[in-house]
Each structure stands twice: as C-alpha cells, then as structure tokens.
Amino acid sequence: MSAADFRKLYERLRRTARPAAHDGAGGDAHGGRRGALRHLTPARVAAAAAEVRLGRTVSLAAPIETRPGPDNPEPARHRMTGPAPGEARAGGVHFAVDRFAMNVHGDADSHLDALSHVLYDGELYGGVPAGDATAAAVRSLSLDLVREGVVGRGVLLDVPRLRGVPWLEPGDHVTAQDLTAAEAAQGVRVGPGDLLLVRVGHRRRRGQLGAWEAARARAGLHPRALPFLAEREVAVLGGDGNNDTAPSAVAGVAFPVHVLAVQAMGVHLMDYLQFEELAEACAQAGRWSFLCVVAPLRLPGATGCPVNPLAVL
C-alpha cells in the first residue's frame, strides 16, 4: 500500500469517526472522549448478556512471561519480597508478598492499548495535542476512560480455520474479504458495539515452533481491512498477535493498523491475546459469539495495562 493511499484511507476513516468532543453521553471529566466505545450502548451491553447459555468462562490472556526471548527481550519482573528469612517457620501471622513490573506494550504479553497510546502527525485521537502525553503520564484519553470496564458481545473470526491452516505465516495479511468470508463460514455477523476478536494463530505457531522476533515478522490485519470495523461500528478490536502485520504494508508507517484504529477511529486495541481454547469452545458450541468482559487495571494516566479478558459462553 503506497503512502499516498494510506493517507487517503486515514483521512477517510478519521472523517467517519465522530469528533472526540462529541463522543459519549454527557461531558464527563474527559470531555466524553470514549472513541468507538460510544457504539457500546447500555442496551447493547444488556443484550450481550443473552449470549450466556452454557455458563462456561474462557480466559483470553496468555500467562505473563518472566524469561527473556526473541520476542520478549524485556520480560516482566516478578519477585517475592516476603516472608523474610525465618518468618515462614515462626509463630504468629506473616505474609507472602511479591512485586511485579512489566513493559506493557511488548510483543509477548496480553495487553490493552488506551487511546493515548498512538501519536500520529503530532496528535492523539480526536485532535488531542500530542503534548498531552509526557514521560510522566497522559492527561487525556488515558486508561482511566475504561475504568468501568468493557462488557459487550464478543465475536471471534478465525481466519486460519477459514483458510484450512493451523496459523497464518508471519507477514501474511488478513483482508476485509477474509473477515466477511469468516462471518459466512461461521454463521455470525459482526454488529454495532461488538468486541471483534480476529485469530491469526500467532499463539499456536509460537507454542509449536517456539518464539521468534515478532517485531520483524508477524501476521496481522491489512490496513484496507479497517473500513470493515468502521462500517460495522466495532467498539474494540483484539488479536492473538499485534493486530499489525510486520513488515508493515505501508512504507514509512510502522504500525498502520494501530494508527487507523486507535488514532483515527478511537478503537481500543487488545494485543497478543490467547484464542486457542476459545476457538475450540466456540467450535464445540457451534457458535462464535459470547459475552466478553474486560476489566482493565485502575491506572490513571496510563497508556495501557496487562489484561485478562473473559469470554462467557
């Protein structure tokens, strides 16, 4: 995709996304800048509860990793800070305690991207000046926008299943045609306010062949697939990879899907989720929609956080 064609697509999707100043219901402290979450209305949240029929819950997160690898050179750090020597065998009450730190936006751990995560041409989503994001914190569009959680109808589109392969190879693209074909094959349709989950098989490939430098080569969505999200009024996009293909399909733009989804359209992203158990559960149940519950951490001023979404079938 040429840089000029990407720019045209960017401007088109930016125009179709409602200006941030008019998002949401009634001017909260963030100016109502909820982005595509405006499609997830209370009525649609209530309707999503009807997706629960089996009472089965499935985690969509991978275990957080603490060992370095080709795709995770800065793994999370987790260490026990207690009990102190001798306390474990001493009388009375003592506690086992620990400390945790991580690079949220890496290429291995499941995480959510806030609308403050992507800066493009000096702006955040909705024309918010890039100066709102500093090395200390972000003043606008932070993770605090989803402090009440995200609950709605989740839809899994399994592209490797559609193509008859276990996974898409690094560098391969998911197209809009793939998404509509997967809908037809699975008997489901993505609609307004849905949490769209797109499986490329990244986790399965990694589990069977081992980790690789995913920053250089990974499967993901083609930028031209993003109008599908706009037309269907998708609230959230999640993938078992980075959502972006590498190498990039656009010269000079390293993460075009992040730019289009987060910065142009105001769509929260979830990267590096785990869909293998969910895909099996959906196939067994014969349906590919479910209640999806996302409970981000309460980290005011943050650009994202580790996340453990739950599918409830």
Side-chain angles (χ1 to χ4, degrees):
M1 188 178 192
S2 71
D5 285 342
F6 175 78
R7 172 60 66 174
K8 291 177 183 176
L9 178 59
Y10 169 80
E11 295 294 349
R12 176 160 67 93
L13 291 177
R14 193 181 186 196
R15 284 194 303 270
T16 59
R18 186 182 303 179
H22 302 293
D23 285 353
D28 58 13
H30 304 281
R33 297 188 179 110
R34 287 174 48 80
L37 291 178
R38 68 182 179 275
H39 301 309
L40 190 50
T41 63
R44 287 170 180 157
V45 174
E51 295 287 336
V52 180
R53 304 172 195 172
L54 302 178
R56 177 179 177 181
T57 61
V58 180
S59 169
L60 309 184
I64 293 175
E65 299 184 11
T66 56
R67 294 184 179 181
D71 57 351
N72 197 18
E74 299 179 56
R77 298 187 300 277
H78 178 218
R79 65 185 180 91
M80 300 298 295
T81 59
E87 282 187 345
R89 294 183 178 85
V93 177
H94 305 280
F95 298 95
V97 292
D98 45 11
R99 186 179 299 273
F100 173 77
M102 74 180 299
N103 170 23
V104 171
H105 300 288
D107 287 309
D109 295 317
S110 306
H111 63 270
L112 180 143
D113 292 342
L115 298 187
S116 54
H117 177 49
V118 181
L119 297 82
Y120 185 66
D121 283 353
E123 292 182 347
L124 299 169
Y125 165 69
V128 174
D132 270 29
T134 69
V138 290
R139 292 190 292 271
S140 302
L141 306 174
S142 76
L143 191 66
D144 201 40
L145 287 179
V146 287
R147 62 185 179 271
E148 305 299 334
V150 181
V151 180
R153 178 180 181 253
V155 176
L156 176 66
L157 296 184
D158 191 338
V159 179
R161 178 185 177 91
L162 171 73
R163 297 189 188 178
V165 296
W167 56 70
L168 304 190
E169 290 295 340
D172 199 354
H173 299 284
V174 174
T175 66
Q177 291 74 21
D178 286 324
L179 298 179
T180 55
E183 283 183 315
Q186 297 173 204
V188 68
R189 181 176 173 82
V190 178
D194 283 352
L195 285 69
L196 172 60
L197 309 178
V198 180
R199 179 178 176 268
V200 298
H202 180 98
R203 289 289 181 185
R204 182 172 177 183
R205 187 183 195 277
R206 189 176 187 266
Q208 293 190 16
L209 302 184
W212 70 96
E213 197 173 353
R216 292 184 177 271
R218 60 179 178 265
L221 274 67
H222 193 280
R224 288 196 178 95
L226 271 292
F228 176 94
L229 277 68
E231 293 162 5
R232 301 298 182 86
E233 298 185 344
V234 165
V236 175
L237 172 65
D240 54 346
N242 175 263
N243 287 299
D244 259 296
T245 304
S248 173
V250 183
V253 183
F255 296 90
V257 169
H258 276 65
V259 171
L260 296 176
V262 178
Q263 202 269 5
M265 300 166 57
V267 174
H268 286 77
L269 295 187
M270 293 188 289
D271 297 334
Y272 294 106
L273 301 179
Q274 168 67 275
F275 295 150
E276 298 310 301
E277 184 180 355
L278 176 62
E280 182 179 350
C282 286
Q284 291 176 351
R287 59 189 182 92
W288 298 85
S289 62
F290 38 84
L291 178 67
C292 190
V293 180
V294 185
L297 300 179
R298 294 293 299 269
L299 287 172
T303 65
C305 71
V307 70
N308 179 21
L310 299 177
V312 189
L313 284 77

